[in-house]
PDB file of all heavy atoms in Angstrom:
ATOM      1  N   ALA A 152     244.259 -29.558 116.729  1.00 94.00           N
ATOM      2  CA  ALA A 152     243.255 -29.107 115.743  1.00 94.00           C
ATOM      3  C   ALA A 152     242.099 -30.026 115.597  1.00 94.00           C
ATOM      4  O   ALA A 152     241.178 -29.758 114.833  1.00 94.00           O
ATOM      5  CB  ALA A 152     244.006 -28.970 114.375  1.00 94.00           C
ATOM      6  N   ARG A 153     242.110 -31.133 116.378  1.00 94.00           N
ATOM      7  CA  ARG A 153     241.079 -32.137 116.336  1.00 94.00           C
ATOM      8  C   ARG A 153     240.986 -32.817 114.939  1.00 94.00           C
ATOM      9  O   ARG A 153     239.887 -33.282 114.529  1.00 94.00           O
ATOM     10  CB  ARG A 153     239.695 -31.596 116.749  1.00 94.00           C
ATOM     11  CG  ARG A 153     239.713 -31.059 118.225  1.00 94.00           C
ATOM     12  CD  ARG A 153     240.004 -32.213 119.191  1.00 94.00           C
ATOM     13  NE  ARG A 153     239.937 -31.759 120.557  1.00 94.00           N
ATOM     14  CZ  ARG A 153     241.006 -31.447 121.338  1.00 94.00           C
ATOM     15  NH1 ARG A 153     242.234 -31.511 120.754  1.00 94.00           N
ATOM     16  NH2 ARG A 153     240.875 -31.063 122.564  1.00 94.00           N
ATOM     17  N   GLU A 154     242.117 -32.806 114.217  1.00 96.00           N
ATOM     18  CA  GLU A 154     242.179 -33.511 112.945  1.00 96.00           C
ATOM     19  C   GLU A 154     242.485 -34.976 113.131  1.00 96.00           C
ATOM     20  O   GLU A 154     242.333 -35.778 112.238  1.00 96.00           O
ATOM     21  CB  GLU A 154     243.241 -32.842 112.046  1.00 96.00           C
ATOM     22  CG  GLU A 154     242.951 -31.363 111.667  1.00 96.00           C
ATOM     23  CD  GLU A 154     244.135 -30.714 111.091  1.00 96.00           C
ATOM     24  OE1 GLU A 154     245.235 -31.336 111.100  1.00 96.00           O
ATOM     25  OE2 GLU A 154     243.998 -29.563 110.622  1.00 96.00           O
ATOM     26  N   LEU A 155     242.941 -35.304 114.362  1.00 95.00           N
ATOM     27  CA  LEU A 155     243.366 -36.664 114.680  1.00 95.00           C
ATOM     28  C   LEU A 155     242.751 -37.039 116.010  1.00 95.00           C
ATOM     29  O   LEU A 155     242.863 -36.237 116.966  1.00 95.00           O
ATOM     30  CB  LEU A 155     244.889 -36.760 114.767  1.00 95.00           C
ATOM     31  CG  LEU A 155     245.561 -38.062 115.131  1.00 95.00           C
ATOM     32  CD1 LEU A 155     245.263 -39.148 114.080  1.00 95.00           C
ATOM     33  CD2 LEU A 155     247.018 -37.903 115.352  1.00 95.00           C
ATOM     34  N   SER A 156     242.074 -38.145 116.096  1.00 94.00           N
ATOM     35  CA  SER A 156     241.533 -38.577 117.378  1.00 94.00           C
ATOM     36  C   SER A 156     242.606 -39.153 118.264  1.00 94.00           C
ATOM     37  O   SER A 156     243.605 -39.658 117.737  1.00 94.00           O
ATOM     38  CB  SER A 156     240.413 -39.599 117.213  1.00 94.00           C
ATOM     39  OG  SER A 156     240.949 -40.863 116.799  1.00 94.00           O
ATOM     40  N   PHE A 157     242.409 -39.139 119.520  1.00 95.00           N
ATOM     41  CA  PHE A 157     243.385 -39.695 120.436  1.00 95.00           C
ATOM     42  C   PHE A 157     243.601 -41.214 120.248  1.00 95.00           C
ATOM     43  O   PHE A 157     244.668 -41.704 120.270  1.00 95.00           O
ATOM     44  CB  PHE A 157     243.031 -39.370 121.885  1.00 95.00           C
ATOM     45  CG  PHE A 157     244.122 -39.614 122.887  1.00 95.00           C
ATOM     46  CD1 PHE A 157     245.375 -39.011 122.702  1.00 95.00           C
ATOM     47  CD2 PHE A 157     243.975 -40.405 123.965  1.00 95.00           C
ATOM     48  CE1 PHE A 157     246.370 -39.269 123.610  1.00 95.00           C
ATOM     49  CE2 PHE A 157     244.977 -40.671 124.878  1.00 95.00           C
ATOM     50  CZ  PHE A 157     246.179 -40.102 124.683  1.00 95.00           C
ATOM     51  N   ALA A 158     242.471 -41.883 119.967  1.00 94.00           N
ATOM     52  CA  ALA A 158     242.521 -43.317 119.721  1.00 94.00           C
ATOM     53  C   ALA A 158     243.398 -43.593 118.522  1.00 94.00           C
ATOM     54  O   ALA A 158     244.215 -44.548 118.516  1.00 94.00           O
ATOM     55  CB  ALA A 158     241.108 -43.884 119.542  1.00 94.00           C
ATOM     56  N   ASP A 159     243.203 -42.843 117.419  1.00 94.00           N
ATOM     57  CA  ASP A 159     243.997 -43.089 116.173  1.00 94.00           C
ATOM     58  C   ASP A 159     245.472 -42.725 116.396  1.00 94.00           C
ATOM     59  O   ASP A 159     246.328 -43.372 115.887  1.00 94.00           O
ATOM     60  CB  ASP A 159     243.390 -42.270 115.047  1.00 94.00           C
ATOM     61  CG  ASP A 159     242.105 -42.802 114.547  1.00 94.00           C
ATOM     62  OD1 ASP A 159     241.742 -43.974 114.889  1.00 94.00           O
ATOM     63  OD2 ASP A 159     241.349 -42.054 113.884  1.00 94.00           O
ATOM     64  N   PHE A 160     245.688 -41.673 117.201  1.00 96.00           N
ATOM     65  CA  PHE A 160     247.078 -41.294 117.560  1.00 96.00           C
ATOM     66  C   PHE A 160     247.803 -42.465 118.203  1.00 96.00           C
ATOM     67  O   PHE A 160     248.916 -42.826 117.851  1.00 96.00           O
ATOM     68  CB  PHE A 160     247.056 -40.063 118.413  1.00 96.00           C
ATOM     69  CG  PHE A 160     248.323 -39.750 119.120  1.00 96.00           C
ATOM     70  CD1 PHE A 160     249.422 -39.361 118.435  1.00 96.00           C
ATOM     71  CD2 PHE A 160     248.443 -39.938 120.514  1.00 96.00           C
ATOM     72  CE1 PHE A 160     250.653 -39.079 119.088  1.00 96.00           C
ATOM     73  CE2 PHE A 160     249.626 -39.676 121.168  1.00 96.00           C
ATOM     74  CZ  PHE A 160     250.716 -39.240 120.466  1.00 96.00           C
ATOM     75  N   LEU A 161     247.132 -43.022 119.245  1.00 96.00           N
ATOM     76  CA  LEU A 161     247.771 -44.087 119.948  1.00 96.00           C
ATOM     77  C   LEU A 161     247.959 -45.318 119.052  1.00 96.00           C
ATOM     78  O   LEU A 161     249.013 -45.942 119.087  1.00 96.00           O
ATOM     79  CB  LEU A 161     246.946 -44.500 121.204  1.00 96.00           C
ATOM     80  CG  LEU A 161     246.797 -43.473 122.322  1.00 96.00           C
ATOM     81  CD1 LEU A 161     245.827 -43.966 123.361  1.00 96.00           C
ATOM     82  CD2 LEU A 161     248.216 -43.227 122.922  1.00 96.00           C
ATOM     83  N   ALA A 162     246.974 -45.635 118.270  1.00 94.00           N
ATOM     84  CA  ALA A 162     247.094 -46.802 117.375  1.00 94.00           C
ATOM     85  C   ALA A 162     248.159 -46.641 116.333  1.00 94.00           C
ATOM     86  O   ALA A 162     248.877 -47.555 116.075  1.00 94.00           O
ATOM     87  CB  ALA A 162     245.710 -47.053 116.687  1.00 94.00           C
ATOM     88  N   ARG A 163     248.241 -45.438 115.801  1.00 93.00           N
ATOM     89  CA  ARG A 163     249.235 -45.143 114.777  1.00 93.00           C
ATOM     90  C   ARG A 163     250.679 -45.405 115.311  1.00 93.00           C
ATOM     91  O   ARG A 163     251.532 -45.897 114.629  1.00 93.00           O
ATOM     92  CB  ARG A 163     249.154 -43.662 114.308  1.00 93.00           C
ATOM     93  CG  ARG A 163     250.268 -43.232 113.348  1.00 93.00           C
ATOM     94  CD  ARG A 163     250.146 -41.763 113.141  1.00 93.00           C
ATOM     95  NE  ARG A 163     248.941 -41.352 112.440  1.00 93.00           N
ATOM     96  CZ  ARG A 163     248.639 -40.140 112.026  1.00 93.00           C
ATOM     97  NH1 ARG A 163     249.506 -39.165 112.301  1.00 93.00           N
ATOM     98  NH2 ARG A 163     247.555 -39.897 111.401  1.00 93.00           N
ATOM     99  N   ARG A 164     250.900 -45.142 116.575  1.00 95.00           N
ATOM    100  CA  ARG A 164     252.216 -45.289 117.199  1.00 95.00           C
ATOM    101  C   ARG A 164     252.319 -46.580 117.991  1.00 95.00           C
ATOM    102  O   ARG A 164     253.386 -46.790 118.609  1.00 95.00           O
ATOM    103  CB  ARG A 164     252.529 -44.081 118.057  1.00 95.00           C
ATOM    104  CG  ARG A 164     252.724 -42.835 117.202  1.00 95.00           C
ATOM    105  CD  ARG A 164     253.159 -41.665 118.091  1.00 95.00           C
ATOM    106  NE  ARG A 164     253.583 -40.515 117.213  1.00 95.00           N
ATOM    107  CZ  ARG A 164     254.790 -40.333 116.728  1.00 95.00           C
ATOM    108  NH1 ARG A 164     255.741 -41.214 117.025  1.00 95.00           N
ATOM    109  NH2 ARG A 164     255.072 -39.308 115.934  1.00 95.00           N
ATOM    110  N   GLY A 165     251.328 -47.385 118.028  1.00 96.00           N
ATOM    111  CA  GLY A 165     251.361 -48.644 118.763  1.00 96.00           C
ATOM    112  C   GLY A 165     251.539 -48.472 120.269  1.00 96.00           C
ATOM    113  O   GLY A 165     252.345 -49.151 120.868  1.00 96.00           O
ATOM    114  N   LEU A 166     250.768 -47.501 120.829  1.00 97.00           N
ATOM    115  CA  LEU A 166     250.927 -47.157 122.226  1.00 97.00           C
ATOM    116  C   LEU A 166     249.668 -47.432 123.029  1.00 97.00           C
ATOM    117  O   LEU A 166     248.577 -47.477 122.477  1.00 97.00           O
ATOM    118  CB  LEU A 166     251.221 -45.631 122.342  1.00 97.00           C
ATOM    119  CG  LEU A 166     252.532 -45.181 121.754  1.00 97.00           C
ATOM    120  CD1 LEU A 166     252.649 -43.650 121.823  1.00 97.00           C
ATOM    121  CD2 LEU A 166     253.746 -45.779 122.416  1.00 97.00           C
ATOM    122  N   LEU A 167     249.923 -47.612 124.298  1.00 97.00           N
ATOM    123  CA  LEU A 167     248.793 -47.823 125.276  1.00 97.00           C
ATOM    124  C   LEU A 167     248.763 -46.669 126.219  1.00 97.00           C
ATOM    125  O   LEU A 167     249.778 -46.214 126.721  1.00 97.00           O
ATOM    126  CB  LEU A 167     248.990 -49.098 126.098  1.00 97.00           C
ATOM    127  CG  LEU A 167     249.101 -50.415 125.370  1.00 97.00           C
ATOM    128  CD1 LEU A 167     249.358 -51.585 126.323  1.00 97.00           C
ATOM    129  CD2 LEU A 167     247.871 -50.720 124.506  1.00 97.00           C
ATOM    130  N   LEU A 168     247.614 -46.113 126.460  1.00 97.00           N
ATOM    131  CA  LEU A 168     247.442 -45.080 127.471  1.00 97.00           C
ATOM    132  C   LEU A 168     247.709 -45.720 128.844  1.00 97.00           C
ATOM    133  O   LEU A 168     247.113 -46.730 129.181  1.00 97.00           O
ATOM    134  CB  LEU A 168     246.010 -44.559 127.447  1.00 97.00           C
ATOM    135  CG  LEU A 168     245.561 -43.478 128.454  1.00 97.00           C
ATOM    136  CD1 LEU A 168     244.369 -42.689 127.888  1.00 97.00           C
ATOM    137  CD2 LEU A 168     245.147 -44.097 129.791  1.00 97.00           C
ATOM    138  N   ARG A 169     248.577 -45.146 129.637  1.00 98.00           N
ATOM    139  CA  ARG A 169     248.959 -45.617 130.972  1.00 98.00           C
ATOM    140  C   ARG A 169     248.116 -45.024 132.014  1.00 98.00           C
ATOM    141  O   ARG A 169     248.528 -44.054 132.703  1.00 98.00           O
ATOM    142  CB  ARG A 169     250.438 -45.446 131.190  1.00 98.00           C
ATOM    143  CG  ARG A 169     251.395 -46.304 130.344  1.00 98.00           C
ATOM    144  CD  ARG A 169     251.436 -47.716 130.823  1.00 98.00           C
ATOM    145  NE  ARG A 169     251.778 -47.796 132.198  1.00 98.00           N
ATOM    146  CZ  ARG A 169     253.003 -47.805 132.712  1.00 98.00           C
ATOM    147  NH1 ARG A 169     254.008 -47.698 131.877  1.00 98.00           N
ATOM    148  NH2 ARG A 169     253.238 -47.886 133.974  1.00 98.00           N
ATOM    149  N   SER A 170     246.894 -45.483 132.262  1.00 98.00           N
ATOM    150  CA  SER A 170     246.060 -44.889 133.282  1.00 98.00           C
ATOM    151  C   SER A 170     246.535 -45.105 134.666  1.00 98.00           C
ATOM    152  O   SER A 170     246.146 -44.351 135.589  1.00 98.00           O
ATOM    153  CB  SER A 170     244.631 -45.503 133.157  1.00 98.00           C
ATOM    154  OG  SER A 170     244.537 -46.741 133.707  1.00 98.00           O
ATOM    155  N   ASP A 171     247.444 -46.034 134.857  1.00 98.00           N
ATOM    156  CA  ASP A 171     248.046 -46.230 136.175  1.00 98.00           C
ATOM    157  C   ASP A 171     248.996 -45.150 136.607  1.00 98.00           C
ATOM    158  O   ASP A 171     249.371 -45.021 137.822  1.00 98.00           O
ATOM    159  CB  ASP A 171     248.772 -47.559 136.236  1.00 98.00           C
ATOM    160  CG  ASP A 171     249.820 -47.707 135.137  1.00 98.00           C
ATOM    161  OD1 ASP A 171     249.531 -47.444 133.975  1.00 98.00           O
ATOM    162  OD2 ASP A 171     250.954 -48.123 135.515  1.00 98.00           O
ATOM    163  N   LEU A 172     249.402 -44.313 135.689  1.00 98.00           N
ATOM    164  CA  LEU A 172     250.309 -43.200 135.953  1.00 98.00           C
ATOM    165  C   LEU A 172     249.593 -41.934 136.432  1.00 98.00           C
ATOM    166  O   LEU A 172     250.192 -40.932 136.807  1.00 98.00           O
ATOM    167  CB  LEU A 172     251.155 -42.822 134.723  1.00 98.00           C
ATOM    168  CG  LEU A 172     252.017 -44.005 134.195  1.00 98.00           C
ATOM    169  CD1 LEU A 172     252.822 -43.510 132.961  1.00 98.00           C
ATOM    170  CD2 LEU A 172     252.974 -44.528 135.258  1.00 98.00           C
ATOM    171  N   LEU A 173     248.217 -42.030 136.492  1.00 98.00           N
ATOM    172  CA  LEU A 173     247.398 -40.935 136.898  1.00 98.00           C
ATOM    173  C   LEU A 173     246.845 -41.231 138.294  1.00 98.00           C
ATOM    174  O   LEU A 173     246.429 -42.394 138.560  1.00 98.00           O
ATOM    175  CB  LEU A 173     246.250 -40.668 135.917  1.00 98.00           C
ATOM    176  CG  LEU A 173     246.573 -40.041 134.625  1.00 98.00           C
ATOM    177  CD1 LEU A 173     245.344 -40.108 133.676  1.00 98.00           C
ATOM    178  CD2 LEU A 173     247.016 -38.571 134.748  1.00 98.00           C
ATOM    179  N   GLY A 174     246.659 -40.175 139.081  1.00 98.00           N
ATOM    180  CA  GLY A 174     245.941 -40.322 140.337  1.00 98.00           C
ATOM    181  C   GLY A 174     244.902 -39.218 140.384  1.00 98.00           C
ATOM    182  O   GLY A 174     245.211 -38.013 140.289  1.00 98.00           O
ATOM    183  N   ALA A 175     243.663 -39.577 140.568  1.00 98.00           N
ATOM    184  CA  ALA A 175     242.550 -38.580 140.617  1.00 98.00           C
ATOM    185  C   ALA A 175     242.677 -37.855 141.960  1.00 98.00           C
ATOM    186  O   ALA A 175     242.814 -38.408 143.024  1.00 98.00           O
ATOM    187  CB  ALA A 175     241.202 -39.265 140.541  1.00 98.00           C
ATOM    188  N   TRP A 176     242.676 -36.487 141.829  1.00 98.00           N
ATOM    189  CA  TRP A 176     242.988 -35.706 143.071  1.00 98.00           C
ATOM    190  C   TRP A 176     241.778 -34.925 143.617  1.00 98.00           C
ATOM    191  O   TRP A 176     241.500 -34.960 144.840  1.00 98.00           O
ATOM    192  CB  TRP A 176     244.055 -34.683 142.710  1.00 98.00           C
ATOM    193  CG  TRP A 176     244.641 -33.991 143.844  1.00 98.00           C
ATOM    194  CD1 TRP A 176     244.324 -32.717 144.351  1.00 98.00           C
ATOM    195  CD2 TRP A 176     245.730 -34.456 144.707  1.00 98.00           C
ATOM    196  NE1 TRP A 176     245.119 -32.435 145.424  1.00 98.00           N
ATOM    197  CE2 TRP A 176     245.972 -33.492 145.674  1.00 98.00           C
ATOM    198  CE3 TRP A 176     246.498 -35.597 144.674  1.00 98.00           C
ATOM    199  CZ2 TRP A 176     246.942 -33.575 146.608  1.00 98.00           C
ATOM    200  CZ3 TRP A 176     247.466 -35.753 145.629  1.00 98.00           C
ATOM    201  CH2 TRP A 176     247.683 -34.750 146.621  1.00 98.00           C
ATOM    202  N   THR A 177     241.050 -34.182 142.775  1.00 98.00           N
ATOM    203  CA  THR A 177     239.929 -33.452 143.272  1.00 98.00           C
ATOM    204  C   THR A 177     239.066 -33.114 142.058  1.00 98.00           C
ATOM    205  O   THR A 177     239.404 -33.333 140.894  1.00 98.00           O
ATOM    206  CB  THR A 177     240.372 -32.176 144.001  1.00 98.00           C
ATOM    207  OG1 THR A 177     239.268 -31.472 144.616  1.00 98.00           O
ATOM    208  CG2 THR A 177     241.038 -31.199 143.041  1.00 98.00           C
ATOM    209  N   ARG A 178     237.886 -32.494 142.305  1.00 98.00           N
ATOM    210  CA  ARG A 178     236.983 -32.080 141.281  1.00 98.00           C
ATOM    211  C   ARG A 178     236.324 -30.754 141.600  1.00 98.00           C
ATOM    212  O   ARG A 178     235.825 -30.567 142.712  1.00 98.00           O
ATOM    213  CB  ARG A 178     235.857 -33.189 141.107  1.00 98.00           C
ATOM    214  CG  ARG A 178     234.849 -32.847 140.014  1.00 98.00           C
ATOM    215  CD  ARG A 178     233.747 -33.903 140.046  1.00 98.00           C
ATOM    216  NE  ARG A 178     232.636 -33.567 139.109  1.00 98.00           N
ATOM    217  CZ  ARG A 178     231.470 -34.228 139.161  1.00 98.00           C
ATOM    218  NH1 ARG A 178     231.224 -35.175 139.988  1.00 98.00           N
ATOM    219  NH2 ARG A 178     230.525 -33.951 138.219  1.00 98.00           N
ATOM    220  N   TRP A 179     236.402 -29.775 140.682  1.00 97.00           N
ATOM    221  CA  TRP A 179     235.862 -28.464 140.846  1.00 97.00           C
ATOM    222  C   TRP A 179     234.955 -28.153 139.699  1.00 97.00           C
ATOM    223  O   TRP A 179     235.292 -28.475 138.561  1.00 97.00           O
ATOM    224  CB  TRP A 179     236.949 -27.428 141.005  1.00 97.00           C
ATOM    225  CG  TRP A 179     237.725 -27.476 142.270  1.00 97.00           C
ATOM    226  CD1 TRP A 179     238.510 -28.458 142.740  1.00 97.00           C
ATOM    227  CD2 TRP A 179     237.779 -26.396 143.225  1.00 97.00           C
ATOM    228  NE1 TRP A 179     239.054 -28.127 143.958  1.00 97.00           N
ATOM    229  CE2 TRP A 179     238.634 -26.870 144.252  1.00 97.00           C
ATOM    230  CE3 TRP A 179     237.231 -25.203 143.325  1.00 97.00           C
ATOM    231  CZ2 TRP A 179     238.930 -26.080 145.414  1.00 97.00           C
ATOM    232  CZ3 TRP A 179     237.490 -24.375 144.452  1.00 97.00           C
ATOM    233  CH2 TRP A 179     238.361 -24.852 145.462  1.00 97.00           C
ATOM    234  N   ILE A 180     233.830 -27.480 139.972  1.00 96.00           N
ATOM    235  CA  ILE A 180     232.911 -27.085 138.940  1.00 96.00           C
ATOM    236  C   ILE A 180     232.860 -25.560 138.955  1.00 96.00           C
ATOM    237  O   ILE A 180     232.667 -24.947 140.015  1.00 96.00           O
ATOM    238  CB  ILE A 180     231.486 -27.647 139.140  1.00 96.00           C
ATOM    239  CG1 ILE A 180     231.536 -29.211 139.158  1.00 96.00           C
ATOM    240  CG2 ILE A 180     230.534 -27.188 138.073  1.00 96.00           C
ATOM    241  CD1 ILE A 180     230.213 -29.863 139.466  1.00 96.00           C
ATOM    242  N   THR A 181     232.986 -24.993 137.806  1.00 93.00           N
ATOM    243  CA  THR A 181     232.995 -23.517 137.687  1.00 93.00           C
ATOM    244  C   THR A 181     231.648 -22.954 138.257  1.00 93.00           C
ATOM    245  O   THR A 181     230.600 -23.587 137.978  1.00 93.00           O
ATOM    246  CB  THR A 181     233.149 -23.087 136.211  1.00 93.00           C
ATOM    247  OG1 THR A 181     234.296 -23.781 135.687  1.00 93.00           O
ATOM    248  CG2 THR A 181     233.378 -21.607 136.127  1.00 93.00           C
ATOM    249  N   PRO A 182     231.639 -21.860 138.990  1.00 92.00           N
ATOM    250  CA  PRO A 182     230.393 -21.374 139.534  1.00 92.00           C
ATOM    251  C   PRO A 182     229.289 -21.127 138.505  1.00 92.00           C
ATOM    252  O   PRO A 182     229.553 -20.872 137.304  1.00 92.00           O
ATOM    253  CB  PRO A 182     230.844 -19.992 140.146  1.00 92.00           C
ATOM    254  CG  PRO A 182     232.262 -20.190 140.438  1.00 92.00           C
ATOM    255  CD  PRO A 182     232.796 -21.107 139.353  1.00 92.00           C
ATOM    256  N   GLU A 183     228.064 -21.264 138.923  1.00 93.00           N
ATOM    257  CA  GLU A 183     226.894 -21.129 138.071  1.00 93.00           C
ATOM    258  C   GLU A 183     226.795 -19.741 137.426  1.00 93.00           C
ATOM    259  O   GLU A 183     226.205 -19.590 136.309  1.00 93.00           O
ATOM    260  CB  GLU A 183     225.598 -21.434 138.835  1.00 93.00           C
ATOM    261  CG  GLU A 183     225.484 -22.857 139.281  1.00 93.00           C
ATOM    262  CD  GLU A 183     224.139 -23.127 139.972  1.00 93.00           C
ATOM    263  OE1 GLU A 183     223.605 -22.170 140.632  1.00 93.00           O
ATOM    264  OE2 GLU A 183     223.599 -24.242 139.910  1.00 93.00           O
ATOM    265  N   PHE A 184     227.410 -18.727 138.009  1.00 91.00           N
ATOM    266  CA  PHE A 184     227.289 -17.359 137.495  1.00 91.00           C
ATOM    267  C   PHE A 184     228.396 -17.034 136.537  1.00 91.00           C
ATOM    268  O   PHE A 184     228.488 -15.890 136.045  1.00 91.00           O
ATOM    269  CB  PHE A 184     227.256 -16.367 138.675  1.00 91.00           C
ATOM    270  CG  PHE A 184     228.245 -16.621 139.752  1.00 91.00           C
ATOM    271  CD1 PHE A 184     229.587 -16.267 139.622  1.00 91.00           C
ATOM    272  CD2 PHE A 184     227.888 -17.286 140.909  1.00 91.00           C
ATOM    273  CE1 PHE A 184     230.532 -16.514 140.574  1.00 91.00           C
ATOM    274  CE2 PHE A 184     228.825 -17.532 141.874  1.00 91.00           C
ATOM    275  CZ  PHE A 184     230.167 -17.164 141.804  1.00 91.00           C
TER     276      PHE A 184
END
Side-chain angles (χ1 to χ4, degrees):
R153 298 296 181 263
E154 297 168 353
L155 178 66
S156 73
F157 193 54
D159 288 344
F160 164 70
L161 293 175
R163 173 187 296 182
R164 291 186 170 273
L166 299 175
L167 303 177
L168 178 156
R169 290 285 306 276
S170 76
D171 56 310
L172 300 181
L173 287 170
W176 191 265
T177 189
R178 178 186 177 192
W179 287 64
I180 301 177
T181 311
E183 291 182 332
F184 44 82

